Amino acid sequence: MTQSDSIAYDVVVIGAGPVGENVADRTRAAGLSTAIVESELVGGECSYWACMPSKALLRPVLARADARRLPGLADSAQGPLDTAAVLARRDGFTSHWKDDGQVQWVEGIGADLYRGLGRLAGPRTVEVAAPDGTRRVLTARHAVAVCTGSAAALPDLPGLADVRPWTSREATSAESAPGRLIVVGGGVVAVEMATAWQALGSRVTLLVRGEGGLLARMEPFAGELVAEGLTEAGVDLRTGTSVRSVTREDGTVVAVTDTGDRIEADEILFATGRVPRTGDIGLETVGMEPGSWLSVDDSLRVDGHDWLYAVGDVNHRALLTHQGKYQARVAGAAIAARASGVPILESDPWGAHAATADHAAVPQVVFTDPEAASVGLSLAEAEQAGHRVRAVDVDLGTVAGASLYGDDYKGRARMVVDLEDEIIRGVTFVGPGVGEMIHSATVAVVGQVPLSRLWHAVPSYPTISEVWLRLLEAYRDN
């Protein structure tokens, strides 16, 4: 097929996960004709193998943990979870791995969906290889947006493919709980899946390389409290431990560590990072390295290419679904503005065409027991960025709302205050139920709300959110 036989659109989006869907939604809302290309399920990783199934697995676990902290419920919540019922509910949230509803949504916004592998075939050109072997060429008048996401990274261990290890996909879609599960890693996927499968009946061994502990990108106390919770739940947590070799013998996984320990299990999950899904999308046809992360400016336009955008995980700015969707809204607005001939974009920090939050206000919740939630900069990150800051800490268990939430409540809050402007650079909460509190901190960080004004934001009593008053008091009194 020649380019003269191609189908022209204003915008072509490669990848129909949440990020690609949001780019298409914004460009269609601006009146731009849009094609979206997907090689797997419309809805992407988050809908079928990440956010939705993992949280469906974890919600009963955390609800039971909360119940066990309350007299009147504790005795009746001591039994095991109904694993089959939990997995069935999980299947419902993934629509049983069918994407009919997502396809209807794409059609509803007026975008054209192409099934198949989308590859760049030169500037502003995407070739689609359909499952039936046919090929189509799509050209973009204004923009191509690469929204192909990331995939699980596996270590370079001899024979690993023969072991058939779990990645995050298998961990969130498994049809039953393995009797014994090894989890390798110390990040979000590792701790969440260790939490889920231990509660669903597996004996979990969690192996963490190095001595830094869990959740290394958050405040140190977050990982410490999550580690304590995992150990109390029965997880065998081993830090400073690397896997030297792994084999599968008569169905049993055997992992040998660098300390010489031999650990047997039914399955092994490697949660050891992500790699960009850019190896087979034709980057070489536009002068870039296949398999690389794509560097972008704050409007999400790829460096050196005025027509190419990389949105979501592929740009390596903030590998979180909600942050990718935020980037998609910014990118869609920037594409629309440039297409309409706007001479100067609103590219200053916090402008309509600048993904400023990627640098200053990324929120995240880790759904463990206890939960860990953060936004903005940690104390170490703020200091490294050159800010003159002070950390203010409060024991969450001393807040009336926390003690009512559950007996023997354990938690901690930290506010990182910029001493020059007296605004908040970052906030971290760790404790049961804190995930629903992080947006208040996000608003404070994004809005750069002065502490003097926050005194007038009165938290309702008795809620856990009263920790805001305690943080302000601690800052004033010290």
Side-chain angles (χ1 to χ4, degrees):
M1 178 179 286
T2 65
Q3 187 152 323
S4 61
D5 300 320
S6 64
I7 307 170
Y9 290 89
D10 292 323
V11 180
V12 178
V13 179
I14 307 176
V19 175
E21 288 177 328
N22 273 267
V23 172
D25 186 41
R26 292 297 84 212
T27 56
R28 285 297 303 130
L32 301 176
S33 61
T34 302
I36 188 165
V37 183
E38 177 54 54
S39 61
E40 294 187 290
L41 295 176
V42 177
E45 200 80 11
C46 176
S47 299
Y48 307 104
W49 300 288
C51 319
M52 296 306 291
S54 66
K55 302 319 172 275
L57 291 174
L58 286 158
R59 178 62 197 137
V61 177
L62 302 184
R64 183 181 66 170
D66 284 343
R68 287 177 168 178
R69 297 184 180 97
L70 292 171
L73 278 176
D75 289 345
S76 58
Q78 293 305 315
L81 291 169
D82 184 338
T83 300
V86 173
L87 296 179
R89 185 171 185 263
R90 183 271 319 269
D91 293 351
F93 273 97
T94 63
S95 300
H96 300 272
W97 291 274
K98 298 181 187 301
D99 63 1
D100 298 5
Q102 301 270 11
V103 171
Q104 290 175 6
W105 181 88
V106 170
E107 293 171 345
I109 65 170
D112 290 345
L113 173 65
Y114 290 85
R115 297 269 194 184
L117 177 63
R119 299 184 77 255
L120 294 168
R124 302 176 188 271
T125 305
V126 176
E127 184 179 82
V128 183
D132 63 4
T134 60
R135 294 181 180 273
R136 287 178 171 166
V137 174
L138 312 178
T139 58
R141 299 183 188 94
H142 298 294
V144 174
V146 175
C147 307
T148 49
S150 64
L154 288 171
D156 185 16
L157 289 173
L160 184 59
D162 296 331
V163 177
R164 303 181 304 280
W166 278 12
T167 67
S168 52
R169 283 196 170 194
E170 290 77 19
T172 56
S173 62
E175 296 180 357
S176 61
R180 301 161 299 173
L181 174 65
I182 299 169
V183 179
V184 183
V188 177
V189 172
V191 297
E192 287 190 345
M193 290 299 93
T195 298
W197 289 111
Q198 178 72 29
L200 291 170
S202 301
R203 290 206 320 272
V204 175
T205 302
L206 179 58
L207 307 179
V208 184
R209 184 177 61 186
E211 300 293 343
L214 306 178
L215 303 176
R217 295 187 178 183
M218 300 182 84
E219 298 283 10
F221 65 81
E224 292 165 5
L225 288 169
V226 169
E228 183 180 324
L230 286 168
T231 301
E232 290 177 354
V235 172
D236 180 2
L237 172 58
R238 307 185 192 185
T239 58
T241 303
S242 297
V243 176
R244 187 176 66 197
S245 67
V246 59
T247 56
R248 190 179 285 271
E249 303 170 7
D250 298 324
T252 297
V253 173
V254 178
V256 178
T257 71
D258 55 355
T259 58
D261 291 336
R262 175 186 169 97
I263 307 170
E264 295 186 356
D266 300 287
E267 303 291 350
I268 184 168
L269 163 62
F270 284 94
T272 49
R274 308 288 294 179
V275 294
R277 296 182 64 184
T278 60
D280 59 354
I281 64 167
L283 290 182
E284 67 279 4
T285 69
V286 292
M288 290 189 288
E289 183 69 26
S292 61
W293 300 102
L294 302 182
S295 179
V296 297
D297 62 19
D298 275 357
S299 72
L300 292 310
R301 188 164 62 174
V302 175
D303 296 344
H305 299 270
D306 63 3
W307 55 273
L308 184 62
Y309 292 73
V311 193
D313 283 11
V314 289
N315 60 42
H316 208 226
R317 288 165 66 109
L319 278 66
L320 296 160
T321 295
H322 50 271
Q323 210 67 22
K325 291 164 69 174
Y326 160 73
Q327 291 177 11
R329 296 191 292 272
V330 172
I335 292 168
R338 288 178 173 130
S340 66
V342 172
I344 301 176
L345 299 191
E346 297 178 37
S347 56
D348 290 339
W350 309 113
H353 308 123
T356 312
D358 287 351
H359 311 296
V362 174
Q364 181 171 21
V365 178
V366 185
F367 293 83
T368 45
D369 180 35
E371 292 177 351
S374 66
V375 65
L377 305 179
S378 67
L379 175 61
E381 288 170 338
E383 291 174 339
Q384 289 166 5
H387 300 297
R388 192 167 69 88
V389 293
R390 176 156 66 90
V392 180
D393 292 342
V394 168
D395 179 352
L396 261 177
T398 63
V399 176
S403 60
L404 286 167
Y405 191 92
D407 290 356
D408 300 318
Y409 188 104
K410 292 181 182 178
R412 186 172 171 184
R414 168 170 288 181
M415 176 175 71
V416 178
V417 179
D418 187 311
L419 298 174
E420 300 290 341
D421 300 321
E422 287 209 318
I423 60 174
I424 300 172
R425 293 290 178 185
V427 176
T428 300
F429 298 130
V430 183
V434 299
E436 294 299 334
M437 293 172 54
I438 200 60
H439 193 60
S440 60
T442 304
V443 172
V445 172
V446 171
Q448 298 181 336
V449 182
L451 297 192
S452 59
R453 179 59 62 89
L454 278 178
W455 276 105
H456 299 280
V458 182
S460 297
Y461 181 86
T463 66
I464 304 175
S465 290
E466 200 181 16
V467 70
W468 280 106
L469 176 57
R470 301 291 167 251
L471 287 165
L472 292 170
E473 290 171 336
Y475 176 75
R476 178 198 60 192
D477 296 340
N478 291 284

